[in-house]
Structure formats: structure tokens, C-alpha cells
């Protein structure tokens, strides 16, 4: 049975629900994923509009409903913010890919993925010579490790280790050739798809990257 609680979380999905509400998927700092309705979020006068956006980071006050999901009764913004991603179309697209990857690979408690998502979105938000494909690949690699899957081997495995060993928030500084980046990303995405499912938001992100190459 659900109980009233406060949760520090990132909004990793926000969809219209009924006329004025939004259905949110919140990824909590304990690695738990919860579903919550933010009532009136689509109204211009909503006091919770900021908390119902994709990439919002807040302390959410959650109350249980008879329908089996939570109701957002309040929210306090975090000092950490990724809402600026909406101002950069490529950062937004790859942020969507990362959030979708979390939804697919962390249906139950997964603290490692929470830290990996913070790191990825933080690097996107920094906006300085970001190699979006490599940052995204680092998140997907964390999905494998945190779920107990064996690492990739061979030449691809060497590239994976270089990305995994980069300091948090500094994946873009890893020195790989364009050919190596393409091989790494293609291999990691293929593995992710076979294990967790297809990333529906990826084609849009790749199209933007190709346009800006």
C-alpha cells in the first residue's frame, strides 16, 4: 500500500493526463521509480508547473490515491536544475534518450542509474563541447553493469572502458576518433536494444547530431 512521503527526484517523463493534469514518472534518489499525477499542471495558473516539466529536479510531496498512483501535493525546487536543456535542441533530444533509457533499464530500485543520469544531464547542461553520443553511451553502459550484465569485449570493450573510467561529468574529454565514437555508440546501442528494448527517442537525436556534424 502506498504511503505519504517526500521524495528527491528527477522527472523523467511527463504526459498529458485528462484535461488539465500531467502524469509524471519520477526517478528518486534511492533508485526507485514512481508514477504521480500533478493536478492542474497544464493550467497557466498552476503553482506546480515548474515541477511537472521533463528534467525537473525537486523534492516532491507525494500523497497516495485510491487509483494506485501518487498525487503531487507539493514540490520544492532543487538547487540543481536541468530545465535549461529545453533551450538546446540537441541537448534536449539526448536528454530524452537518457530518460527513456532509465525508464527501460531501471524499473525497480537502481541507485547507480540515478547517479549516472544526474551526471549525464549535468554534462549536457554545461554545454561546453559536449559529445552527446559518448555521454549517452556512458549511461547505457551503467545500465548493463548495474543490472549484472557482462561487459562488452574486444576492441569495443577497450573503448567502453575508456568512457567508463572518465571522471563524472567529463566524458566528453575522452579522446576518441570519430570512427571510434561511431563504433562505440553503435555497439552499445545495439546491446542495449537487445537487452532492454528499442530507444524510441534515439532516431531524432541522431538526426540532429548528423545535421550538426
Amino acid at each position: 500500500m502506498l504511503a505519504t512521503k517526500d521524495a528527491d527526484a528527477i522527472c523523467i517523463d511527463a504526459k498529458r493526463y485528462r484535461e488539465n493534469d500531467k502524469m509524471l514518472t519520477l526517478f528518486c534518489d534511492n533508485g526507485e521509480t514512481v508514477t504521480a499525477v500533478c493536478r492542474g499542471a497544464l493550467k497557466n495558473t498552476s503553482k506546480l508547473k515548474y515541477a511537472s516539466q521533463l528534467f525537473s529536479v525537486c523534492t516532491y510531496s507525494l500523497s497516495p490515491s485510491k487509483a494506485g498512483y501518487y498525487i503531487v501535493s507539493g514540490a520544492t525546487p532543487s538547487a540543481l536544475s536541468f530545465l535549461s536543456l529545453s533551450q538546446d535542441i540537441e541537448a534536449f533530444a539526448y536528454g530524452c534518450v537518457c530518460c527513456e533509457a532509465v525508464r527501460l533499464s531501471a524499473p525497480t530500485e537502481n541507485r547507480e542509474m540515478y547517479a549516472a543520469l544526474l551526471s549525464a544531464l549535468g554534462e549536457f547542461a554545461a554545454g561546453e563541447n559536449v559529445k552527446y553520443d559518448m555521454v549517452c553511451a556512458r549511461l547505457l553502459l551503467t545500465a548493463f553493469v548495474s543490472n549484472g550484465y557482462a561487459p562488452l569485449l574486444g576492441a569495443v570493450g577497450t573503448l567502453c572502458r575508456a568512457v567508463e573510467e572518465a571522471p563524472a561529468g567529463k566524458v566528453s574529454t575522452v579522446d576518441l576518433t570519430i570512427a571510434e565514437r561511431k563504433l562505440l555508440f553503435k555497439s552499445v546501442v545495439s546491446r542495449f536494444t537487445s537487452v532492454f528494448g528499442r530507444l524510441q527517442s534515439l532516431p531524432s537525436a541522431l538526426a540532429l547530431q548528423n545535421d550538426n556534424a
Side-chain angles (χ1 to χ4, degrees), residues 40 43 45-51 75:
K43 294 182 178 179
T45 56
S46 173
K47 295 181 179 180
L48 292 173
K49 186 176 289 290
Y50 67 89

Side-chain angles (χ1 to χ4, degrees), residues 102-117:
V102 169
R103 297 197 302 273
L104 289 172
S105 64
T108 57
E109 187 174 315
N110 191 325
R111 292 175 183 267
E112 290 180 67
M113 286 300 287
Y114 182 84
L117 182 60

Side-chain angles (χ1 to χ4, degrees), residues 33 73-74 87 105 131 146 152 198:
T33 301
S73 56
Q87 299 171 17
S105 64
K131 297 175 182 175
S146 63
L152 280 75
R198 186 170 178 265

Side-chain angles (χ1 to χ4, degrees), residues 31-45:
E32 177 188 16
T33 301
V34 301
T35 300
V37 169
C38 192
R39 290 176 173 164
L42 293 171
K43 294 182 178 179
N44 291 331
T45 56

Side-chain angles (χ1 to χ4, degrees), residues 43-204:
K43 294 182 178 179
N44 291 331
T45 56
S46 173
K47 295 181 179 180
L48 292 173
K49 186 176 289 290
Y50 67 89
S52 63
Q53 308 298 316
L54 188 64
F55 312 132
S56 292
V57 186
C58 298
T59 298
Y60 291 87
S61 297
L62 304 174
S63 303
S65 72
K66 294 181 180 179
Y69 50 71
Y70 285 101
I71 302 294
V72 179
S73 56
T76 303
S78 168
L80 192 64
S81 176
F82 303 125
L83 294 181
S84 63
L85 295 183
S86 63
Q87 299 171 17
D88 183 322
I89 190 170
E90 189 172 6
F92 183 87
Y94 271 96
C96 289
V97 173
C98 288
C99 287
E100 184 184 1
V102 169
R103 297 197 302 273
L104 289 172
S105 64
T108 57
E109 187 174 315
N110 191 325
R111 292 175 183 267
E112 290 180 67
M113 286 300 287
Y114 182 84
L117 182 60
L118 281 183
S119 178
L121 296 182
E123 190 160 351
F124 291 164
E128 298 179 3
N129 301 314
V130 180
K131 297 175 182 175
Y132 294 98
D133 53 341
M134 289 174 55
V135 178
C136 187
R138 163 80 164 254
L139 180 85
L140 301 186
L141 289 169
T142 302
F144 301 145
V145 173
S146 63
N147 283 284
Y149 289 93
L152 280 75
L153 303 176
V156 174
T158 300
L159 298 176
C160 290
R161 286 192 294 276
V163 168
E164 289 175 310
E165 292 170 1
K170 299 292 184 180
V171 179
S172 298
T173 63
V174 177
D175 188 17
L176 299 182
T177 66
I178 293 177
E180 289 173 332
R181 284 172 57 185
K182 288 182 176 179
L183 174 61
L184 168 69
F185 194 67
K186 182 179 179 179
S187 300
V188 172
V189 169
S190 177
R191 175 81 177 281
F192 186 92
T193 299
S194 67
V195 173
F196 300 109
R198 186 170 178 265
L199 291 161
Q200 302 291 337
S201 55
L202 183 58
S204 296

